[in-house]
Amino acid sequence: MKRRNTPTKEAVLEVLLNTNKAMSQDAIEQEIGIDINRATIYRVLNRFCEDGVLHRVVAEDGKQYFALCLKCDENEKPLYHFHFRCMKCETIECLPVEVNFTIPEKYFVENVNCVLTGTCQECH
């Protein structure tokens, strides 16, 4: 279904396009700088996720972040999409390579939501 373009969608997308990192809803709301209902922003973010415009990253503290994944080529995106969260600068970014892992026999993985934490190249 084609979704109509709204000022809120444009504002949220503009914020995400102007950053190279995943952002929380609160951070997006602060960056927008205009008065938009919090529930509307959350609804827009969820629709963007449903439409494949961005993806949701759940950090180890349970907080949700949203990213456009600018470093990933849709045709070459790793099967298991991992992210990396820097504990110093708190940036969350997509890892452009597949990370290998092993699961017990008789389990089938359909989706992986994994955030590795440590220090990024810039902060190391």
Side-chain angles (χ1 to χ4, degrees):
M1 175 170 76
K2 177 116 169 100
R3 301 192 196 268
R4 65 186 178 94
N5 208 10
T6 66
T8 302
K9 283 174 68 174
E10 289 177 11
V12 170
L13 190 57
E14 184 71 25
V15 167
L16 290 167
L17 284 169
N18 288 326
T19 186
N20 288 330
K21 61 181 181 178
M23 297 179 73
S24 67
Q25 178 183 343
D26 294 339
I28 293 168
E29 190 175 337
Q30 288 176 352
E31 280 292 315
I32 288 175
I34 57 176
D35 190 28
I36 298 176
N37 181 296
R38 169 171 273 189
T40 302
I41 294 172
Y42 190 69
R43 201 168 30 255
V44 166
L45 291 169
N46 281 328
R47 285 188 185 138
F48 279 156
C49 289
E50 290 170 11
D51 295 344
V53 174
L54 54 91
H55 59 273
R56 181 186 330 267
V57 179
V58 181
E60 71 281 354
D61 61 359
K63 192 168 187 174
Q64 295 182 43
Y65 296 84
F66 300 89
L68 284 171
C69 194
L70 298 173
K71 295 180 181 178
C72 299
D73 179 348
E74 191 63 39
N75 298 322
E76 297 179 16
K77 187 181 283 187
L79 179 60
Y80 301 118
H81 197 92
F82 282 67
H83 296 87
F84 187 87
R85 179 174 186 225
C86 179
M87 299 306 286
K88 286 188 178 180
C89 68
E90 297 187 12
T91 298
I92 296 179
E93 61 183 311
C94 301
L95 293 178
V97 297
E98 189 169 311
V99 176
N100 296 315
F101 60 92
T102 323
I103 59 169
E105 236 179 271
K106 298 184 182 178
Y107 286 86
F108 177 75
V109 176
E110 292 182 19
N111 185 23
V112 173
N113 180 25
C114 185
V115 179
L116 305 172
T117 57
T119 307
C120 70
Q121 294 175 351
E122 300 294 320
C123 293
H124 187 68

